[in-house]
Amino acid sequence: MNRFLASGMIFGAVALFSMSLGTTHSVAQANEPTPRIMVSGTGTADVAPDMAVLTLSVLRQEETARAALDANNIAMQRVLAAMAEEGIEPRDMQTSNFNIRPRFERPKSNSGTRRDPEIIGYDVSNTLTVRVRNLSTLGRVLDRSVSLGVNSGGNVRFSNQDPSEAIEQARINAMKAAVRKAELLTSTAGVGLGAILEISERSKSGVQSIAHMSTTRTNASAVPIATGENNYSVTVNISYALEQ
């Protein structure tokens, strides 16, 4: 073989090998994960509620299902009429549960034998969910509903008709807290804080705070109500690139 041809082939092989190593090194660098830091921050905002959601139930017990239903219907009709008199609109009243249930009793046996249970009566319950948008009437609404036949339920949940402003403030507070944490961690570690790679959030709302409780009572017969404040919470997660 020609000596010059052989030398050229060897040189070409060496050059190709060097290029291959360079390409492999570049690919390896590209596949390396970007150094990053992940932080989270939680922000909250408190706001006084402007609406209450009530769960009111009428329970009646009679010997027959018909009698229990009739008694329940009369009481619930009075409750609905009272709600309308208090200014509650039809859109804010909704039947959330209705149930007819037999009551059983196992008769005693003098002979000691086990007897089958017998129906001794019927329970009829009708549950009404009510949104009260005027909190100044809440105590009176509760008092009147009990006087007119509500004898079960009574759960009260305070909320806000439009909590968007409070949630937005909580979100701002959460972002500030997360950024401060990232800056503190990186400066302490002696590395630079790069670009934001990812942001996510989760929120929790409507948790009643026991701070700054205020009691609303319209008259001596109304149920005393402590409205308190609703706490809205947002947690954000931020992923930053690190600058070495």
Side-chain angles (χ1 to χ4, degrees):
M1 179 182 294
N2 187 291
R3 180 168 57 88
F4 296 104
L5 179 59
S7 299
M9 293 176 62
I10 294 173
F11 176 79
V14 172
L16 181 61
F17 179 69
S18 300
M19 291 176 61
S20 177
L21 285 178
T23 303
T24 302
H25 181 66
S26 299
V27 172
Q29 284 185 327
N31 290 334
E32 288 180 0
T34 302
R36 65 179 61 194
I37 180 174
M38 297 185 66
V39 293
S40 63
T42 299
T44 62
D46 295 329
V47 62
D50 57 14
M51 182 174 67
V53 180
L54 310 180
T55 303
L56 307 174
S57 297
V58 173
L59 173 66
R60 289 294 181 269
Q61 297 178 326
E62 298 291 345
E63 292 185 0
T64 66
R66 178 75 263 172
L69 179 61
D70 290 341
N72 193 293
N73 289 345
I74 292 173
M76 182 55 75
Q77 287 170 358
R78 291 172 179 171
V79 172
L80 289 171
M83 297 296 105
E85 291 172 2
E86 294 294 340
I88 298 175
E89 299 180 11
R91 67 189 178 103
D92 290 327
M93 294 184 287
Q94 184 178 55
T95 299
S96 54
N97 186 50
F98 181 84
N99 186 269
I100 300 176
R101 184 175 59 253
R103 283 183 288 120
F104 293 91
E105 184 179 83
R106 190 180 297 276
K108 295 181 180 180
S109 175
N110 295 328
S111 62
T113 58
R114 188 178 181 86
R115 299 177 59 181
D116 293 332
E118 298 177 356
I119 295 177
I120 61 170
Y122 289 85
D123 298 344
V124 175
S125 63
N126 192 346
T127 302
L128 182 69
T129 299
V130 182
R131 288 194 295 254
V132 180
R133 299 179 187 273
N134 182 2
L135 291 182
S136 65
T137 67
L138 179 57
R140 188 169 66 249
V141 166
L142 286 170
D143 183 79
R144 289 195 65 184
S145 64
V146 172
S147 299
L148 295 174
V150 170
N151 57 355
S152 183
N155 180 60
V156 180
R157 179 174 58 85
F158 291 103
S159 62
N160 295 91
Q161 299 181 54
D162 183 12
S164 58
E165 185 175 342
I167 295 174
E168 182 176 320
Q169 185 58 54
R171 185 175 290 118
I172 292 172
N173 295 339
M175 282 295 297
K176 289 180 178 180
V179 171
R180 284 195 301 267
K181 184 183 295 185
E183 292 173 345
L184 175 62
L185 291 174
T186 52
S187 63
T188 303
V191 296
L193 192 61
I196 293 178
L197 302 176
E198 184 179 352
I199 299 177
S200 64
E201 75 160 39
R202 64 180 183 274
S203 61
K204 183 179 181 182
S205 61
V207 179
Q208 187 175 355
S209 171
I210 62 173
H212 312 297
M213 297 292 280
S214 61
T215 301
T216 300
R217 185 165 183 169
T218 54
N219 54 60
S221 64
V223 177
I225 298 297
T227 57
E229 289 185 334
N230 287 332
N231 176 266
Y232 294 88
S233 175
V234 174
T235 298
V236 298
N237 302 299
I238 308 178
S239 177
Y240 284 95
L242 291 178
E243 295 179 351
Q244 300 292 341

